Amino acid sequence: MRTMIIAGNWKMYKDLQETTDLLTQLKAAVPRLPANVVSIVCPPYTSLHAAAAALSGSAFKLGAQNMSQHDEGAYTGEISGKMLKAVGCEYVILGHSERRQYFGETNELINQKAKKALALGLTPIVCVGESLQEREAGITGQIVTTQVKGTLSGIGPQEMTRIVIAYEPVWAIGTGRVATPEQAQEVHQIIRKQIAQLYDWALAERITIQYGGSVKPDNAADILTQNDVDGALVGGACLKADSFSAIIKAVKP
Ligand code: PGA
């Protein structure tokens, strides 16, 4: 049995006070995580320090939403993995579709970032997923396998065991249009097969593949019970303690 990872991607929401308030409510709503669940919150950079303080003594882990592929230097506006580690992050989301779409991130760049994160001891959550146009053209499998291959290029089997993959169909993000459990399972299986081809089956069976895209308390249980779905990357519903905690509680023991 793989551990389920329920992560919250806060995107560009919550200032300092709102961060402390949300995490106080979340800790009250989930005083103890189920034994088979790891839960991560990924607030904006400006809230990471406060979030680390608010979470100390709790089982929730801290993650960031992006990081630089560079160690340090004259890169105005960028944040390094070393900085994320220093503030208490253990995870970092890489290659979210919004980063690909609005900030021009490519598989090659995401691959560089993933290698840097691994070298620094951060766990990358690498996002892949097709657009609506690509799904309608019947090329979902092709798009996702190209993204998996590109973002994992040159990553050895040992390091691969530390990577989390998030399948997020772009058409389901923030739209309320969730993939059906069968649609999610189908693509998760394609991804796991691809990992088996690139590495081997034993390794592929160990990899956590999260689903993301309009996960809510009322659809979480159906998606999370699919064989190859090992958790959720949650956007909108992670901004309230009651909905995020309900998704955590939707995981079958
Ligand atoms: P959503 O976002 O849950 O609001 O669809 C998911 C994500 O972008 O990670």
Side-chain angles (χ1 to χ4, degrees):
M1 270 284 279
R2 292 178 287 269
T3 306
M4 301 291 264
I5 303 185
I6 308 294
N9 172 12
W10 293 19
K11 307 194 181 184
M12 202 171 73
Y13 293 101
K14 308 291 180 189
D15 64 17
L16 267 187
Q17 188 59 51
E18 291 163 341
T19 295
T20 312
D21 291 348
L22 174 55
L23 292 177
T24 304
Q25 291 160 12
L26 187 60
K27 283 193 302 180
V30 190
R32 230 169 307 116
L33 284 170
N36 59 336
V37 176
V38 168
S39 188
I40 309 160
V41 295
C42 304
Y45 291 136
T46 46
S47 284
L48 288 173
H49 192 254
L55 291 176
S56 92
S58 90
F60 285 96
K61 311 264 189 207
L62 192 61
Q65 300 171 21
N66 179 34
M67 62 169 251
S68 170
Q69 71 274 32
H70 301 293
D71 283 320
E72 61 180 2
Y75 301 105
T76 302
E78 288 291 274
I79 300 285
S80 74
K82 183 168 166 245
M83 294 166 184
L84 297 180
K85 285 276 286 187
V87 81
C89 287
E90 293 176 61
Y91 293 82
V92 59
I93 300 171
L94 296 176
H96 188 279
S97 65
E98 287 150 17
R99 301 286 326 164
R100 292 176 186 260
Q101 189 178 346
Y102 305 130
F103 304 96
E105 295 203 3
T106 59
N107 290 329
E108 192 187 3
L109 176 67
I110 297 158
N111 178 243
Q112 287 170 21
K113 292 183 177 194
K115 286 176 175 160
K116 184 60 67 184
L118 287 165
L120 291 166
L122 287 160
T123 298
I125 300 176
V126 175
C127 302
V128 298
E130 82 288 2
S131 67
L132 183 59
Q133 220 180 4
E134 290 160 345
R135 174 158 285 264
E136 286 174 345
I139 55 171
T140 297
Q142 192 182 315
I143 292 296
V144 169
T145 50
T146 303
Q147 290 173 335
V148 168
K149 204 168 168 206
T151 52
L152 302 181
S153 165
I155 292 175
Q158 200 59 39
E159 289 182 313
M160 185 58 207
T161 58
R162 292 171 39 220
I163 286 197
V164 173
I165 295 176
Y167 167 57
E168 297 205 306
V170 179
W171 48 271
I173 295 177
T175 58
R177 202 179 144 186
V178 65
T180 64
E182 295 74 27
Q183 282 174 325
Q185 169 59 23
E186 187 188 7
V187 181
H188 281 234
Q189 209 168 23
I190 291 172
I191 294 171
R192 205 176 299 284
K193 261 197 199 137
Q194 166 86 354
I195 307 282
Q197 267 167 27
L198 294 170
Y199 301 89
D200 60 57
W201 263 113
L203 195 153
E205 290 291 352
R206 287 175 60 182
I207 299 294
T208 300
I209 309 175
Q210 299 177 294
Y211 169 82
S214 297
V215 176
K216 310 284 176 205
D218 62 355
N219 60 30
D222 283 345
I223 293 175
L224 293 171
T225 44
Q226 297 299 305
N227 267 345
D228 288 291
V229 177
D230 311 314
L233 182 52
V234 183
C238 81
L239 297 173
K240 291 213 166 84
D242 58 354
S243 43
F244 192 56
S245 61
I247 293 170
I248 292 170
K249 288 170 188 169
V251 175
K252 282 240 167 68

